[in-house]
Amino acid sequence: MADDFALVERSSLGLATVMARKDISAADIGRALGMPMPDGPFESTGVDMSLLGTGPGSWLALCEKPGEDWADGLAAKLDGLASLSDQSGAYVVFRLGGARARRLLQQGVALDLDPEVFPPHRVAVTMIAHIGVILWRCAARDAFDVAIFRSFATSFRQWATATAAHLIEA
Amino acid sequence: MRIPCPYCGERDAQEFVYRGDAAPVRPAGDDGFEDYVYLRDNIAGPMREHWYHAQGCRNWLTVDRDSCSHAISGARLARGGTA
Ligand SMILES: [Zn+2]
């Protein structure tokens, strides 16, 4: 089982939503942050942060090792360009890896996750088992990250565990 | 039915909230406001309608759809007008 599926919580992440002000483009924000800015449902990676496109003019910022003032520092850089809201406690981010990770996700995601159409750094805001998710494929092709509102994390884990058990029996 | 969201790509209609006919225009004053909020034509055939991508990019779309065949000929963000 361990080789087939591995579901691990990525803990202690810094998370924040970024929403562009009127008439401010992705490129404007990218210049202020000094990193490439995704202008579509993609992930772009900077020095210590990645940004996931979640909608027109909206992104989820993700920091692996946030300092205490990470969100405030980001808000200061985006002053006048975008609104920032610290979401570090709002989401749980799971990393789903293993040889059959895609097979498992494909039981719940109504999107084609073939790497030809859903390559690394591609992002989708969608649903799994009626639970809203932000899903993206990691740089390592066989792993996916899934951000879920914290209060739904237990339900998502139950879905993943039950679906994995079913696939192993099948 | 799958709706081609200009941001997210093709998505199942389950991810959307249906609003209906996109033709009504918000009146400047109170006159006709109730009709604007509540009354929508239910056209058999090609129509222009509003859909909200609630379980995706959380944007309103304007969609050209034939309500008899379900064929969709176009979809764009509703922001900046419904044209
Ligand atoms: Zn969308």
Side-chain angles (χ1 to χ4, degrees):
Chain A
M1 154 122 192
D3 293 348
D4 284 347
F5 314 106
L7 187 68
V8 184
E9 182 179 339
R10 298 181 65 194
S11 51
S12 313
L13 295 174
L15 298 166
T17 51
V18 176
M19 298 203 78
R21 295 276 166 86
K22 195 165 188 274
D23 299 328
I24 299 295
S25 71
D28 295 333
I29 295 175
R31 268 190 295 277
L33 295 176
M35 64 178 284
M37 199 71 188
D39 198 6
F42 307 99
E43 176 192 32
S44 71
T45 313
V47 181
D48 56 359
M49 182 172 78
S50 63
L51 283 153
L52 305 152
T54 52
S58 77
W59 297 270
L60 183 72
L62 187 151
C63 178
E64 187 90 46
K65 292 188 179 70
E68 221 165 89
D69 56 354
W70 171 72
D72 289 340
L74 197 53
K77 278 187 200 166
L78 294 173
D79 189 34
L81 297 173
S83 305
L84 186 122
S85 169
D86 190 347
Q87 302 289 338
S88 303
Y91 290 95
V92 171
V93 179
F94 289 111
R95 174 151 297 173
L96 180 64
R100 297 177 80 193
R102 178 184 153 210
R103 182 80 179 79
L104 173 62
L105 277 175
Q106 210 71 87
Q107 299 290 304
V109 179
L111 288 172
D112 189 354
L113 298 179
D114 187 286
E116 289 289 313
V117 286
F118 199 84
H121 308 296
R122 180 76 205 237
V123 178
V125 181
T126 185
M127 288 191 290
I128 296 175
H130 302 281
I131 301 167
V133 300
I134 305 171
L135 167 73
W136 63 102
R137 191 190 281 270
C138 304
R141 239 165 98 103
D142 293 339
F144 296 84
D145 280 351
V146 193
I148 291 156
F149 281 124
R150 186 166 292 276
S151 54
F152 287 104
T154 306
S155 299
F156 177 78
R157 195 187 272 282
Q158 279 171 357
W159 171 82
T161 308
T163 306
H166 172 77
L167 286 177
I168 286 162
E169 277 170 27
Chain B
M1 190 170 73
R2 287 166 81 81
I3 295 171
C5 174
Y7 187 88
C8 303
E10 261 198 16
R11 294 298 180 90
D12 193 277
Q14 274 189 45
E15 293 190 1
F16 296 81
V17 174
Y18 184 55
R19 180 70 177 102
D21 189 11
V25 177
R26 185 188 172 108
D30 288 348
D31 277 353
F33 205 84
E34 193 167 302
D35 287 0
Y36 164 69
V37 173
Y38 294 108
L39 295 185
R40 290 287 180 282
D41 282 343
N42 185 16
I43 299 156
M47 67 181 293
R48 181 160 288 177
E49 42 190 32
H50 280 146
W51 292 78
Y52 179 59
H53 199 182
Q55 298 292 345
C57 62
R58 297 172 193 161
N59 275 252
W60 284 94
L61 309 185
T62 305
V63 179
D64 291 312
R65 185 177 73 102
D66 188 317
S67 61
C68 293
S69 67
H70 301 305
I72 293 172
S73 57
R76 54 228 164 269
L77 296 179
R79 54 170 71 171
T82 56

